[in-house]
Amino acid sequence: MKTIQTSAAPAAIGPYSQGKVTGNMLFTAGQIPLDPQTMEIVKGGIEEQTMQVLKNLDAIMMEAGTSWDKVIKATVFMVNLGDFATFNSIYEQHLKSAKPSRSTVQVAALPKGALIEIEVIAEV
């Protein structure tokens, strides 16, 4: 098993790693919209937060040697499913032709007051 760690994504804010590779599979930790340099939630709403989460996942996947076209499953946690259409549009543009399976659930709260968190499972 290999631990994934990159400075291009936020450092873990608890006792976990950014991701783990076992065999040919990457399992990421849930990523919230932290700026890796400041470790603060990015300013703005669901648009800015979604873009930052996707950017953080990009960095972790790159470090692990994979990309969105190899993502098997994404799990999305949102504080407000009323933001779903906006999130979905940004997500679709970012992933281009990749269409992993996905679950999206509304939660009461996320760490640091984030509006969105996403974790992925990908083939390496």
Side-chain angles (χ1 to χ4, degrees):
M1 187 173 350
K2 177 182 174 186
T3 299
I4 302 302
Q5 178 63 42
T6 175
S7 61
I13 58 173
Y16 61 89
S17 57
Q18 293 170 330
K20 290 281 192 179
V21 173
T22 182
N24 68 335
M25 302 298 294
L26 166 68
F27 297 82
T28 72
Q31 293 299 299
I32 60 173
L34 291 173
D35 177 309
Q37 271 61 55
T38 66
M39 291 300 291
E40 297 294 327
I41 297 285
V42 295
K43 295 199 183 318
I46 193 65
E47 299 91 348
E48 293 82 5
Q49 290 198 18
T50 299
M51 289 186 278
Q52 185 64 51
V53 168
L54 294 171
K55 192 172 165 183
N56 293 345
L57 286 166
D58 288 345
I60 294 167
M61 286 190 286
M62 180 180 288
E63 183 70 18
T66 192
S67 58
W68 283 102
D69 61 327
K70 296 200 177 206
V71 172
I72 296 162
K73 172 79 189 254
T75 305
V76 181
F77 306 93
M78 299 180 73
V79 172
N80 181 1
L81 281 179
D83 291 333
F84 182 80
T86 303
F87 151 75
N88 206 45
S89 176
I90 294 164
Y91 180 87
E92 183 176 28
Q93 289 173 24
H94 189 83
L95 271 60
K96 298 179 178 62
S97 63
K99 292 192 180 349
S101 61
R102 182 180 80 192
S103 299
T104 305
V105 296
Q106 181 168 310
V107 296
L110 290 167
K112 295 191 168 255
L115 300 176
I116 188 166
E117 180 174 352
I118 303 173
E119 63 184 27
V120 302
I121 300 169
E123 186 178 38
V124 177

